[in-house]
Amino acid sequence: MKAQSKQNRTRVLAESAVMVALAAVLSMFPIYQAPLGGTVTLFSMAPILLLSLRHGTRVGILGAFAYSITQLLLGLGTIAYVPTFAGIAVCAFLDYILAFTCIGTAGFFRFESGMDRKKKLISTAVGTLTVCVLRFLCHLLSGAVVWYEITKAGDWNEYVHQVGMWLYSLVYNLQYMVPETVLLLVAVPAMVTVLDLVPKMKKRGA
């Protein structure tokens, strides 16, 4: 039993490493990139979502936290726009560490043993939508308390002078989070369906 348990932990650890690496690579090829950070990617959150749905919150949050560190490192160029140490700390925490670690909360909708495909797809859709909303709220708060003043001081965006910080942040972050969410709501259930069919296809071919 101990040997089997150790083998399972090793397998989950290896899967986590692969999923984090895959998510990081996918995030490096944005479809659209907003001027002050925020991108629409080709399903970069999907590997972490799948990891969380398959193995639960503990594994999911640990994997998501590791992914958040990669995103923080990749986003250092954007953070350089922030003029104060306090602003940098808030931005690093809200836009990167918390926003991407939230992906692991999809583990609350973990696939249970014996769950049929319909229930898996419902869990996938609800988990994906929940995660995207949580991530959006992190960016919304950061946009209001950090990026609003930076954009306003830059005097290059007329729109920011016409609206308050919350409306500015809402509109700015919706422009990339809505497409990102729609893509994930299509892609992740499709991936779950394919993964669910593979064992059955192998049995038929055996």
Side-chain angles (χ1 to χ4, degrees), residues 39-62:
T39 58
V40 180
T41 66
L42 196 61
F43 323 128
S44 64
M45 290 169 58
I48 308 301
L49 279 164
L50 288 173
L51 181 70
S52 304
L53 289 166
R54 281 166 54 82
H55 299 293
T57 52
R58 183 172 175 273
V59 172
I61 287 175
L62 286 173

mmCIF file with all atom_site columns, all heavy atoms in Angstrom, residues 39-62:
data_model
loop_
_atom_site.group_PDB
_atom_site.id
_atom_site.type_symbol
_atom_site.label_atom_id
_atom_site.label_alt_id
_atom_site.label_comp_id
_atom_site.label_asym_id
_atom_site.label_entity_id
_atom_site.label_seq_id
_atom_site.pdbx_PDB_ins_code
_atom_site.Cartn_x
_atom_site.Cartn_y
_atom_site.Cartn_z
_atom_site.occupancy
_atom_site.B_iso_or_equiv
_atom_site.pdbx_formal_charge
_atom_site.auth_seq_id
_atom_site.auth_comp_id
_atom_site.auth_asym_id
_atom_site.auth_atom_id
_atom_site.pdbx_PDB_model_num
ATOM 1   N N   . THR A 1 39 ? -4.103  39.449 -21.176 1.00 0.00 ? 39 THR A N   1
ATOM 2   C CA  . THR A 1 39 ? -4.037  38.844 -22.500 1.00 0.00 ? 39 THR A CA  1
ATOM 3   C C   . THR A 1 39 ? -5.148  37.829 -22.719 1.00 0.00 ? 39 THR A C   1
ATOM 4   O O   . THR A 1 39 ? -5.670  37.239 -21.767 1.00 0.00 ? 39 THR A O   1
ATOM 5   C CB  . THR A 1 39 ? -2.687  38.118 -22.706 1.00 0.00 ? 39 THR A CB  1
ATOM 6   O OG1 . THR A 1 39 ? -2.529  37.123 -21.679 1.00 0.00 ? 39 THR A OG1 1
ATOM 7   C CG2 . THR A 1 39 ? -1.523  39.084 -22.657 1.00 0.00 ? 39 THR A CG2 1
ATOM 8   N N   . VAL A 1 40 ? -5.478  37.656 -23.986 1.00 0.00 ? 40 VAL A N   1
ATOM 9   C CA  . VAL A 1 40 ? -6.308  36.537 -24.399 1.00 0.00 ? 40 VAL A CA  1
ATOM 10  C C   . VAL A 1 40 ? -5.344  35.504 -24.957 1.00 0.00 ? 40 VAL A C   1
ATOM 11  O O   . VAL A 1 40 ? -4.564  35.796 -25.866 1.00 0.00 ? 40 VAL A O   1
ATOM 12  C CB  . VAL A 1 40 ? -7.315  36.948 -25.487 1.00 0.00 ? 40 VAL A CB  1
ATOM 13  C CG1 . VAL A 1 40 ? -8.169  35.743 -25.900 1.00 0.00 ? 40 VAL A CG1 1
ATOM 14  C CG2 . VAL A 1 40 ? -8.204  38.075 -25.003 1.00 0.00 ? 40 VAL A CG2 1
ATOM 15  N N   . THR A 1 41 ? -5.347  34.307 -24.395 1.00 0.00 ? 41 THR A N   1
ATOM 16  C CA  . THR A 1 41 ? -4.389  33.281 -24.785 1.00 0.00 ? 41 THR A CA  1
ATOM 17  C C   . THR A 1 41 ? -5.096  32.070 -25.385 1.00 0.00 ? 41 THR A C   1
ATOM 18  O O   . THR A 1 41 ? -6.329  31.972 -25.336 1.00 0.00 ? 41 THR A O   1
ATOM 19  C CB  . THR A 1 41 ? -3.558  32.810 -23.576 1.00 0.00 ? 41 THR A CB  1
ATOM 20  O OG1 . THR A 1 41 ? -4.438  32.136 -22.648 1.00 0.00 ? 41 THR A OG1 1
ATOM 21  C CG2 . THR A 1 41 ? -2.888  33.978 -22.879 1.00 0.00 ? 41 THR A CG2 1
ATOM 22  N N   . LEU A 1 42 ? -4.314  31.190 -25.940 1.00 0.00 ? 42 LEU A N   1
ATOM 23  C CA  . LEU A 1 42 ? -4.857  29.965 -26.510 1.00 0.00 ? 42 LEU A CA  1
ATOM 24  C C   . LEU A 1 42 ? -4.937  28.898 -25.412 1.00 0.00 ? 42 LEU A C   1
ATOM 25  O O   . LEU A 1 42 ? -4.117  27.989 -25.331 1.00 0.00 ? 42 LEU A O   1
ATOM 26  C CB  . LEU A 1 42 ? -3.983  29.490 -27.672 1.00 0.00 ? 42 LEU A CB  1
ATOM 27  C CG  . LEU A 1 42 ? -4.603  28.440 -28.608 1.00 0.00 ? 42 LEU A CG  1
ATOM 28  C CD1 . LEU A 1 42 ? -5.857  29.013 -29.269 1.00 0.00 ? 42 LEU A CD1 1
ATOM 29  C CD2 . LEU A 1 42 ? -3.598  28.019 -29.664 1.00 0.00 ? 42 LEU A CD2 1
ATOM 30  N N   . PHE A 1 43 ? -5.911  29.086 -24.507 1.00 0.00 ? 43 PHE A N   1
ATOM 31  C CA  . PHE A 1 43 ? -6.240  28.106 -23.459 1.00 0.00 ? 43 PHE A CA  1
ATOM 32  C C   . PHE A 1 43 ? -5.123  27.919 -22.430 1.00 0.00 ? 43 PHE A C   1
ATOM 33  O O   . PHE A 1 43 ? -4.949  26.812 -21.909 1.00 0.00 ? 43 PHE A O   1
ATOM 34  C CB  . PHE A 1 43 ? -6.579  26.740 -24.068 1.00 0.00 ? 43 PHE A CB  1
ATOM 35  C CG  . PHE A 1 43 ? -7.332  26.793 -25.357 1.00 0.00 ? 43 PHE A CG  1
ATOM 36  C CD1 . PHE A 1 43 ? -6.898  26.093 -26.471 1.00 0.00 ? 43 PHE A CD1 1
ATOM 37  C CD2 . PHE A 1 43 ? -8.488  27.556 -25.475 1.00 0.00 ? 43 PHE A CD2 1
ATOM 38  C CE1 . PHE A 1 43 ? -7.589  26.137 -27.675 1.00 0.00 ? 43 PHE A CE1 1
ATOM 39  C CE2 . PHE A 1 43 ? -9.194  27.612 -26.676 1.00 0.00 ? 43 PHE A CE2 1
ATOM 40  C CZ  . PHE A 1 43 ? -8.739  26.902 -27.778 1.00 0.00 ? 43 PHE A CZ  1
ATOM 41  N N   . SER A 1 44 ? -4.386  28.981 -22.078 1.00 0.00 ? 44 SER A N   1
ATOM 42  C CA  . SER A 1 44 ? -3.261  28.801 -21.152 1.00 0.00 ? 44 SER A CA  1
ATOM 43  C C   . SER A 1 44 ? -3.702  28.355 -19.755 1.00 0.00 ? 44 SER A C   1
ATOM 44  O O   . SER A 1 44 ? -2.940  27.708 -19.039 1.00 0.00 ? 44 SER A O   1
ATOM 45  C CB  . SER A 1 44 ? -2.446  30.100 -21.044 1.00 0.00 ? 44 SER A CB  1
ATOM 46  O OG  . SER A 1 44 ? -3.214  31.138 -20.487 1.00 0.00 ? 44 SER A OG  1
ATOM 47  N N   . MET A 1 45 ? -4.920  28.698 -19.349 1.00 0.00 ? 45 MET A N   1
ATOM 48  C CA  . MET A 1 45 ? -5.411  28.286 -18.031 1.00 0.00 ? 45 MET A CA  1
ATOM 49  C C   . MET A 1 45 ? -5.910  26.845 -18.012 1.00 0.00 ? 45 MET A C   1
ATOM 50  O O   . MET A 1 45 ? -6.076  26.246 -16.948 1.00 0.00 ? 45 MET A O   1
ATOM 51  C CB  . MET A 1 45 ? -6.537  29.221 -17.574 1.00 0.00 ? 45 MET A CB  1
ATOM 52  C CG  . MET A 1 45 ? -6.087  30.637 -17.219 1.00 0.00 ? 45 MET A CG  1
ATOM 53  S SD  . MET A 1 45 ? -7.488  31.780 -16.999 1.00 0.00 ? 45 MET A SD  1
ATOM 54  C CE  . MET A 1 45 ? -8.430  30.956 -15.694 1.00 0.00 ? 45 MET A CE  1
ATOM 55  N N   . ALA A 1 46 ? -6.159  26.285 -19.193 1.00 0.00 ? 46 ALA A N   1
ATOM 56  C CA  . ALA A 1 46 ? -6.778  24.961 -19.289 1.00 0.00 ? 46 ALA A CA  1
ATOM 57  C C   . ALA A 1 46 ? -5.997  23.852 -18.583 1.00 0.00 ? 46 ALA A C   1
ATOM 58  O O   . ALA A 1 46 ? -6.601  23.030 -17.877 1.00 0.00 ? 46 ALA A O   1
ATOM 59  C CB  . ALA A 1 46 ? -7.010  24.600 -20.755 1.00 0.00 ? 46 ALA A CB  1
ATOM 60  N N   . PRO A 1 47 ? -4.664  23.775 -18.726 1.00 0.00 ? 47 PRO A N   1
ATOM 61  C CA  . PRO A 1 47 ? -3.941  22.694 -18.029 1.00 0.00 ? 47 PRO A CA  1
ATOM 62  C C   . PRO A 1 47 ? -4.111  22.734 -16.513 1.00 0.00 ? 47 PRO A C   1
ATOM 63  O O   . PRO A 1 47 ? -4.246  21.687 -15.868 1.00 0.00 ? 47 PRO A O   1
ATOM 64  C CB  . PRO A 1 47 ? -2.479  22.936 -18.431 1.00 0.00 ? 47 PRO A CB  1
ATOM 65  C CG  . PRO A 1 47 ? -2.560  23.643 -19.744 1.00 0.00 ? 47 PRO A CG  1
ATOM 66  C CD  . PRO A 1 47 ? -3.756  24.537 -19.622 1.00 0.00 ? 47 PRO A CD  1
ATOM 67  N N   . ILE A 1 48 ? -4.108  23.940 -15.933 1.00 0.00 ? 48 ILE A N   1
ATOM 68  C CA  . ILE A 1 48 ? -4.264  24.055 -14.475 1.00 0.00 ? 48 ILE A CA  1
ATOM 69  C C   . ILE A 1 48 ? -5.698  23.730 -14.076 1.00 0.00 ? 48 ILE A C   1
ATOM 70  O O   . ILE A 1 48 ? -5.944  23.125 -13.021 1.00 0.00 ? 48 ILE A O   1
ATOM 71  C CB  . ILE A 1 48 ? -3.879  25.463 -13.986 1.00 0.00 ? 48 ILE A CB  1
ATOM 72  C CG1 . ILE A 1 48 ? -2.490  25.865 -14.505 1.00 0.00 ? 48 ILE A CG1 1
ATOM 73  C CG2 . ILE A 1 48 ? -3.895  25.522 -12.464 1.00 0.00 ? 48 ILE A CG2 1
ATOM 74  C CD1 . ILE A 1 48 ? -1.375  24.933 -14.085 1.00 0.00 ? 48 ILE A CD1 1
ATOM 75  N N   . LEU A 1 49 ? -6.646  24.115 -14.903 1.00 0.00 ? 49 LEU A N   1
ATOM 76  C CA  . LEU A 1 49 ? -8.044  23.764 -14.638 1.00 0.00 ? 49 LEU A CA  1
ATOM 77  C C   . LEU A 1 49 ? -8.229  22.252 -14.638 1.00 0.00 ? 49 LEU A C   1
ATOM 78  O O   . LEU A 1 49 ? -8.871  21.690 -13.741 1.00 0.00 ? 49 LEU A O   1
ATOM 79  C CB  . LEU A 1 49 ? -8.947  24.406 -15.692 1.00 0.00 ? 49 LEU A CB  1
ATOM 80  C CG  . LEU A 1 49 ? -9.303  25.876 -15.482 1.00 0.00 ? 49 LEU A CG  1
ATOM 81  C CD1 . LEU A 1 49 ? -9.854  26.483 -16.762 1.00 0.00 ? 49 LEU A CD1 1
ATOM 82  C CD2 . LEU A 1 49 ? -10.302 26.028 -14.348 1.00 0.00 ? 49 LEU A CD2 1
ATOM 83  N N   . LEU A 1 50 ? -7.676  21.579 -15.627 1.00 0.00 ? 50 LEU A N   1
ATOM 84  C CA  . LEU A 1 50 ? -7.779  20.120 -15.702 1.00 0.00 ? 50 LEU A CA  1
ATOM 85  C C   . LEU A 1 50 ? -7.111  19.449 -14.504 1.00 0.00 ? 50 LEU A C   1
ATOM 86  O O   . LEU A 1 50 ? -7.639  18.492 -13.936 1.00 0.00 ? 50 LEU A O   1
ATOM 87  C CB  . LEU A 1 50 ? -7.154  19.624 -17.004 1.00 0.00 ? 50 LEU A CB  1
ATOM 88  C CG  . LEU A 1 50 ? -7.941  19.907 -18.285 1.00 0.00 ? 50 LEU A CG  1
ATOM 89  C CD1 . LEU A 1 50 ? -7.117  19.522 -19.512 1.00 0.00 ? 50 LEU A CD1 1
ATOM 90  C CD2 . LEU A 1 50 ? -9.269  19.163 -18.289 1.00 0.00 ? 50 LEU A CD2 1
ATOM 91  N N   . LEU A 1 51 ? -5.943  19.962 -14.136 1.00 0.00 ? 51 LEU A N   1
ATOM 92  C CA  . LEU A 1 51 ? -5.228  19.424 -12.972 1.00 0.00 ? 51 LEU A CA  1
ATOM 93  C C   . LEU A 1 51 ? -6.087  19.537 -11.718 1.00 0.00 ? 51 LEU A C   1
ATOM 94  O O   . LEU A 1 51 ? -6.183  18.587 -10.928 1.00 0.00 ? 51 LEU A O   1
ATOM 95  C CB  . LEU A 1 51 ? -3.918  20.191 -12.786 1.00 0.00 ? 51 LEU A CB  1
ATOM 96  C CG  . LEU A 1 51 ? -3.023  19.748 -11.617 1.00 0.00 ? 51 LEU A CG  1
ATOM 97  C CD1 . LEU A 1 51 ? -2.413  18.383 -11.901 1.00 0.00 ? 51 LEU A CD1 1
ATOM 98  C CD2 . LEU A 1 51 ? -1.907  20.780 -11.380 1.00 0.00 ? 51 LEU A CD2 1
ATOM 99  N N   . SER A 1 52 ? -6.719  20.678 -11.536 1.00 0.00 ? 52 SER A N   1
ATOM 100 C CA  . SER A 1 52 ? -7.548  20.919 -10.350 1.00 0.00 ? 52 SER A CA  1
ATOM 101 C C   . SER A 1 52 ? -8.800  20.053 -10.352 1.00 0.00 ? 52 SER A C   1
ATOM 102 O O   . SER A 1 52 ? -9.190  19.496 -9.318  1.00 0.00 ? 52 SER A O   1
ATOM 103 C CB  . SER A 1 52 ? -7.945  22.404 -10.294 1.00 0.00 ? 52 SER A CB  1
ATOM 104 O OG  . SER A 1 52 ? -6.806  23.234 -10.324 1.00 0.00 ? 52 SER A OG  1
ATOM 105 N N   . LEU A 1 53 ? -9.432  19.939 -11.506 1.00 0.00 ? 53 LEU A N   1
ATOM 106 C CA  . LEU A 1 53 ? -10.651 19.131 -11.611 1.00 0.00 ? 53 LEU A CA  1
ATOM 107 C C   . LEU A 1 53 ? -10.366 17.654 -11.384 1.00 0.00 ? 53 LEU A C   1
ATOM 108 O O   . LEU A 1 53 ? -11.183 16.925 -10.818 1.00 0.00 ? 53 LEU A O   1
ATOM 109 C CB  . LEU A 1 53 ? -11.291 19.341 -12.987 1.00 0.00 ? 53 LEU A CB  1
ATOM 110 C CG  . LEU A 1 53 ? -11.936 20.713 -13.228 1.00 0.00 ? 53 LEU A CG  1
ATOM 111 C CD1 . LEU A 1 53 ? -12.207 20.909 -14.710 1.00 0.00 ? 53 LEU A CD1 1
ATOM 112 C CD2 . LEU A 1 53 ? -13.219 20.873 -12.426 1.00 0.00 ? 53 LEU A CD2 1
ATOM 113 N N   . ARG A 1 54 ? -9.204  17.211 -11.795 1.00 0.00 ? 54 ARG A N   1
ATOM 114 C CA  . ARG A 1 54 ? -8.845  15.797 -11.661 1.00 0.00 ? 54 ARG A CA  1
ATOM 115 C C   . ARG A 1 54 ? -8.391  15.432 -10.250 1.00 0.00 ? 54 ARG A C   1
ATOM 116 O O   . ARG A 1 54 ? -8.667  14.347 -9.764  1.00 0.00 ? 54 ARG A O   1
ATOM 117 C CB  . ARG A 1 54 ? -7.732  15.443 -12.653 1.00 0.00 ? 54 ARG A CB  1
ATOM 118 C CG  . ARG A 1 54 ? -8.223  15.236 -14.069 1.00 0.00 ? 54 ARG A CG  1
ATOM 119 C CD  . ARG A 1 54 ? -7.082  15.223 -15.078 1.00 0.00 ? 54 ARG A CD  1
ATOM 120 N NE  . ARG A 1 54 ? -6.041  14.262 -14.746 1.00 0.00 ? 54 ARG A NE  1
ATOM 121 C CZ  . ARG A 1 54 ? -6.086  12.953 -15.016 1.00 0.00 ? 54 ARG A CZ  1
ATOM 122 N NH1 . ARG A 1 54 ? -7.135  12.459 -15.633 1.00 0.00 ? 54 ARG A NH1 1
ATOM 123 N NH2 . ARG A 1 54 ? -5.083  12.152 -14.699 1.00 0.00 ? 54 ARG A NH2 1
ATOM 124 N N   . HIS A 1 55 ? -7.694  16.371 -9.578  1.00 0.00 ? 55 HIS A N   1
ATOM 125 C CA  . HIS A 1 55 ? -7.042  16.005 -8.316  1.00 0.00 ? 55 HIS A CA  1
ATOM 126 C C   . HIS A 1 55 ? -7.472  16.833 -7.105  1.00 0.00 ? 55 HIS A C   1
ATOM 127 O O   . HIS A 1 55 ? -6.976  16.603 -6.003  1.00 0.00 ? 55 HIS A O   1
ATOM 128 C CB  . HIS A 1 55 ? -5.530  16.102 -8.487  1.00 0.00 ? 55 HIS A CB  1
ATOM 129 C CG  . HIS A 1 55 ? -4.984  15.189 -9.539  1.00 0.00 ? 55 HIS A CG  1
ATOM 130 N ND1 . HIS A 1 55 ? -4.988  13.816 -9.413  1.00 0.00 ? 55 HIS A ND1 1
ATOM 131 C CD2 . HIS A 1 55 ? -4.434  15.446 -10.761 1.00 0.00 ? 55 HIS A CD2 1
ATOM 132 C CE1 . HIS A 1 55 ? -4.459  13.268 -10.490 1.00 0.00 ? 55 HIS A CE1 1
ATOM 133 N NE2 . HIS A 1 55 ? -4.118  14.226 -11.328 1.00 0.00 ? 55 HIS A NE2 1
ATOM 134 N N   . GLY A 1 56 ? -8.333  17.814 -7.283  1.00 0.00 ? 56 GLY A N   1
ATOM 135 C CA  . GLY A 1 56 ? -8.844  18.552 -6.135  1.00 0.00 ? 56 GLY A CA  1
ATOM 136 C C   . GLY A 1 56 ? -8.086  19.833 -5.812  1.00 0.00 ? 56 GLY A C   1
ATOM 137 O O   . GLY A 1 56 ? -7.112  20.195 -6.483  1.00 0.00 ? 56 GLY A O   1
ATOM 138 N N   . THR A 1 57 ? -8.534  20.502 -4.754  1.00 0.00 ? 57 THR A N   1
ATOM 139 C CA  . THR A 1 57 ? -8.035  21.842 -4.440  1.00 0.00 ? 57 THR A CA  1
ATOM 140 C C   . THR A 1 57 ? -6.570  21.857 -3.994  1.00 0.00 ? 57 THR A C   1
ATOM 141 O O   . THR A 1 57 ? -5.828  22.776 -4.353  1.00 0.00 ? 57 THR A O   1
ATOM 142 C CB  . THR A 1 57 ? -8.889  22.496 -3.341  1.00 0.00 ? 57 THR A CB  1
ATOM 143 O OG1 . THR A 1 57 ? -8.987  21.597 -2.226  1.00 0.00 ? 57 THR A OG1 1
ATOM 144 C CG2 . THR A 1 57 ? -10.277 22.811 -3.845  1.00 0.00 ? 57 THR A CG2 1
ATOM 145 N N   . ARG A 1 58 ? -6.146  20.877 -3.206  1.00 0.00 ? 58 ARG A N   1
ATOM 146 C CA  . ARG A 1 58 ? -4.767  20.901 -2.693  1.00 0.00 ? 58 ARG A CA  1
ATOM 147 C C   . ARG A 1 58 ? -3.758  20.864 -3.835  1.00 0.00 ? 58 ARG A C   1
ATOM 148 O O   . ARG A 1 58 ? -2.870  21.718 -3.924  1.00 0.00 ? 58 ARG A O   1
ATOM 149 C CB  . ARG A 1 58 ? -4.533  19.737 -1.736  1.00 0.00 ? 58 ARG A CB  1
ATOM 150 C CG  . ARG A 1 58 ? -3.143  19.735 -1.109  1.00 0.00 ? 58 ARG A CG  1
ATOM 151 C CD  . ARG A 1 58 ? -3.043  18.664 -0.028  1.00 0.00 ? 58 ARG A CD  1
ATOM 152 N NE  . ARG A 1 58 ? -1.688  18.575 0.501   1.00 0.00 ? 58 ARG A NE  1
ATOM 153 C CZ  . ARG A 1 58 ? -0.731  17.823 -0.015  1.00 0.00 ? 58 ARG A CZ  1
ATOM 154 N NH1 . ARG A 1 58 ? -0.977  17.078 -1.090  1.00 0.00 ? 58 ARG A NH1 1
ATOM 155 N NH2 . ARG A 1 58 ? 0.469   17.796 0.522   1.00 0.00 ? 58 ARG A NH2 1
ATOM 156 N N   . VAL A 1 59 ? -3.910  19.878 -4.702  1.00 0.00 ? 59 VAL A N   1
ATOM 157 C CA  . VAL A 1 59 ? -3.015  19.762 -5.856  1.00 0.00 ? 59 VAL A CA  1
ATOM 158 C C   . VAL A 1 59 ? -3.223  20.937 -6.801  1.00 0.00 ? 59 VAL A C   1
ATOM 159 O O   . VAL A 1 59 ? -2.263  21.523 -7.323  1.00 0.00 ? 59 VAL A O   1
ATOM 160 C CB  . VAL A 1 59 ? -3.261  18.430 -6.600  1.00 0.00 ? 59 VAL A CB  1
ATOM 161 C CG1 . VAL A 1 59 ? -2.482  18.390 -7.920  1.00 0.00 ? 59 VAL A CG1 1
ATOM 162 C CG2 . VAL A 1 59 ? -2.864  17.259 -5.718  1.00 0.00 ? 59 VAL A CG2 1
ATOM 163 N N   . GLY A 1 60 ? -4.483  21.316 -7.007  1.00 0.00 ? 60 GLY A N   1
ATOM 164 C CA  . GLY A 1 60 ? -4.795  22.407 -7.918  1.00 0.00 ? 60 GLY A CA  1
ATOM 165 C C   . GLY A 1 60 ? -4.213  23.729 -7.490  1.00 0.00 ? 60 GLY A C   1
ATOM 166 O O   . GLY A 1 60 ? -3.613  24.458 -8.296  1.00 0.00 ? 60 GLY A O   1
ATOM 167 N N   . ILE A 1 61 ? -4.353  24.068 -6.219  1.00 0.00 ? 61 ILE A N   1
ATOM 168 C CA  . ILE A 1 61 ? -3.851  25.353 -5.727  1.00 0.00 ? 61 ILE A CA  1
ATOM 169 C C   . ILE A 1 61 ? -2.327  25.385 -5.723  1.00 0.00 ? 61 ILE A C   1
ATOM 170 O O   . ILE A 1 61 ? -1.713  26.408 -6.055  1.00 0.00 ? 61 ILE A O   1
ATOM 171 C CB  . ILE A 1 61 ? -4.432  25.648 -4.327  1.00 0.00 ? 61 ILE A CB  1
ATOM 172 C CG1 . ILE A 1 61 ? -5.915  26.023 -4.473  1.00 0.00 ? 61 ILE A CG1 1
ATOM 173 C CG2 . ILE A 1 61 ? -3.662  26.776 -3.640  1.00 0.00 ? 61 ILE A CG2 1
ATOM 174 C CD1 . ILE A 1 61 ? -6.641  26.230 -3.168  1.00 0.00 ? 61 ILE A CD1 1
ATOM 175 N N   . LEU A 1 62 ? -1.698  24.273 -5.374  1.00 0.00 ? 62 LEU A N   1
ATOM 176 C CA  . LEU A 1 62 ? -0.232  24.223 -5.422  1.00 0.00 ? 62 LEU A CA  1
ATOM 177 C C   . LEU A 1 62 ? 0.272   24.404 -6.859  1.00 0.00 ? 62 LEU A C   1
ATOM 178 O O   . LEU A 1 62 ? 1.221   25.154 -7.118  1.00 0.00 ? 62 LEU A O   1
ATOM 179 C CB  . LEU A 1 62 ? 0.276   22.902 -4.845  1.00 0.00 ? 62 LEU A CB  1
ATOM 180 C CG  . LEU A 1 62 ? 0.190   22.757 -3.322  1.00 0.00 ? 62 LEU A CG  1
ATOM 181 C CD1 . LEU A 1 62 ? 0.555   21.335 -2.900  1.00 0.00 ? 62 LEU A CD1 1
ATOM 182 C CD2 . LEU A 1 62 ? 1.098   23.771 -2.633  1.00 0.00 ? 62 LEU A CD2 1
#
